Amino acid sequence: MEEKKGEVVLFGTWTSAFCTRVELALKLKGIPYEYVEEDLTNKSELFLSLNPVHKKVPVLVHNGKSIAESLIILEYIEEGWNTTPKLLPEDPCQRAKVRFWANYFDQKIVPSFYIIFGSKDKEREKAIEDSSQLLKVFEEGIEKDFPGQSPFFNGEILGYLGIVIGSHACNYQAVDEAIGVAIISEKNPKFLSWVNTLKNCPLMGETLPPHDKLVARLSARLKST
Amino acid sequence: MEELKLLGAWPSIYCYRVIWALKLKGVKYEYVEEDLSNKSDHLLQYNPVHKKVPVLVHHGKPVAETSVILEYIEEIWPQNPLLPNDPFEKALARFWTKFEEDKSPAFFAFFRGVGEEQEKATKEAKQLLKIIEDHGLGEKKFFGGNKIGLVDLAFGWLSAWLEVMEEVVGIKLMEANSFPRLEAWNKSFKEEPMIKENLPDRDEMLPYFKSLREKLIASATT
C-alpha cells in the first residue's frame, strides 16, 4: 500500500545535520514526505505542541503522531515501514556494534566539534587535539569491530551508521571555509577517507545543504557571535 | 545454557537495569563484580573504549553501553517483552529512556552540590520530575503501561536510590504529595517480585553514598 504524501511530515531546519539524517532515511526507504522548515528563533504553535518536552528539530509526524530525537526517528523509520533497504544490520551482534558507535559519535565526537566552533586561538588548538583523539578511538574501534567491511554501507547502499556520521561530517569543507579546519587529515586520515566515500554517495550529495549556502550561513552566524 | 556473563559494580543503577531486564525475562547469567578502582583485564578487554560497566558478554562477544545492551537483550530473548510492539509506542519508550540519560547530570548536580549551586540543582531536578510525571508517566500504572517496561527500568533509580540520596543530601526532591503519581509508581515498582528481590540494600547504600558525596564535595573545592 502506498503512503499518501502528507501523512508523513518532517519539521526541520536546513542547516541541521540531525534533520539531514531523517531526510536520508526517508529517501532511502522511498517514503514520500512533506518537509516543513521551522524558524527556531520563532517557533510555531504547531511545532511546540508536537515536541513540548524538547522543542527541537527534527520532529517526524506520522499519522498525526510525533516522534523526536534523530536516532529514535531512524529506528522508527526502520520498523514502521516494511520496505527495503534495511538501515540496520540483520544480525543482533552487528546491530549492537552499529548502535554503540552511533552513540559514541553523538555523545563524544559531535560535542567535540561544537567545542571547536565555540573557541578561539589556544583553546581551539586544544579542542581540535581533543577531538582528534576521540576520532582516533573511533577509527580504531570501527576497524576492530568491522574488519574488512564498511559499517557505513550495506553493499553499495547507505546504512544507519553512514547516515549518522555522514550528515555531520560530510560538510567538513564548508566548515573549513567558514569557521576553520576542525578535522586534520594528517591526524585522522581514515576517518576522512570514510567521510569522502560517503560524500561521493549520490543520495548524500543531493540531501546535504548546498555548499555555498552553508558557508554563507556559517560565516554569518560566526560574525554575529 | 547460553554462555552469558554480566560485568557490573554495586550499586550501579546502570548495572541494575541490565540485571532487572535479564531477571524479568528469566535469562540465566553469571554475574561478575568489578572493582572500578582496580579494573580487571577482562573489563578493559571487553570495553576498551569506555572502560565502564555494565558489559554483557554473550558467547565471548561483548556488548557495552546500557541502552545498547538492553536493546540487544530485548532482541535475543523476546519473551516478556520490555518494549511495546507498536513502532510509535516503541519510539516513545526510547524517547523517555534517552530523556533520562540526557537529564541525569541534573540529578547528579543535586547530589554533589552545596549552597547556591545546590539550590539551583534542586529546583531543576524538581522541574524534571514534574515533566517525567506529567508527560512520561501520565495516568499509567507503569511507564510501560500495565506492566514494567524499559522506561521503568530507566527510571528505576527513582525508587531505592533516590531515597538514600535525599537522606545523604538532607533535601527531599519527592516531598509527600508533590508527585503523587510518581509515588504510586514507586510503590508498584518496588512490589514487583523480580524488582523486590533485586534491589540494593538501603543500609549498605547509605554509607556508600555518604562517602561518595563527601569525596565529590572535596574534589570540587580543591
Side-chain angles (χ1 to χ4, degrees), chain B residues 188-204:
Chain B
S188 305
F189 184 74
K190 285 199 281 203
E191 275 168 8
E192 276 294 303
M194 278 303 155
I195 304 297
K196 194 172 180 178
E197 293 166 23
N198 293 285
L199 283 172
D201 183 76
R202 189 180 170 279
D203 293 334
E204 285 177 26

Side-chain angles (χ1 to χ4, degrees), chain B residues 31-75:
Chain B
Y31 177 78
V32 178
E33 176 74 17
E34 283 287 330
D35 176 1
L36 297 181
S37 62
N38 185 17
K39 292 174 184 176
S40 71
D41 287 340
H42 270 150
L43 176 59
L44 298 175
Q45 172 204 335
Y46 287 137
N47 191 2
V49 175
H50 296 300
K51 305 177 180 59
K52 287 190 195 167
V53 289
V55 181
L56 192 72
V57 187
H58 191 205
H59 297 309
K61 294 192 204 160
V63 185
E65 280 296 282
T66 314
S67 61
V68 177
I69 294 172
L70 291 172
E71 295 268 0
Y72 179 83
I73 290 172
E74 183 72 355
E75 284 165 14

Side-chain angles (χ1 to χ4, degrees), chain B residues 147-181:
Chain B
K147 62 186 193 77
I148 287 182
L150 277 194
V151 184
D152 297 274
L153 304 192
F155 287 116
W157 68 270
L158 289 177
S159 64
W161 284 256
L162 182 60
E163 296 164 6
V164 172
M165 284 163 64
E166 284 172 332
E167 188 168 330
V168 165
V169 173
I171 297 175
K172 263 195 127 14
L173 282 183
M174 296 235 283
E175 283 149 327
N177 302 321
S178 50
F179 302 101
R181 278 168 289 158

Side-chain angles (χ1 to χ4, degrees), chain A residues 24-44:
Chain A
L24 284 168
L26 290 168
K27 285 180 178 179
L28 263 173
K29 294 275 209 184
I31 298 165
Y33 64 98
E34 183 193 336
Y35 175 79
V36 175
E37 177 75 19
E38 188 66 30
D39 177 0
L40 294 180
T41 61
N42 187 19
K43 293 170 187 172
S44 66

Side-chain angles (χ1 to χ4, degrees), chain B residues 89-102:
Chain B
E89 296 297 326
K90 206 184 265 195
L92 217 51
R94 285 176 174 143
F95 175 87
W96 286 105
T97 311
K98 182 158 198 300
F99 182 87
E100 191 284 327
E101 222 175 87
D102 290 345

Side-chain angles (χ1 to χ4, degrees), chain B residues 105-125 169 171 213 216-217 220-221:
Chain B
F107 292 99
F108 191 50
F110 158 76
F111 178 67
R112 70 187 316 185
V114 280
E116 218 180 277
E117 222 184 83
Q118 166 66 261
E119 271 179 51
K120 188 166 166 272
T122 303
K123 195 167 170 224
E124 198 189 328
V169 173
I171 297 175
R213 178 166 153 87
L216 290 167
I217 292 173
T221 51

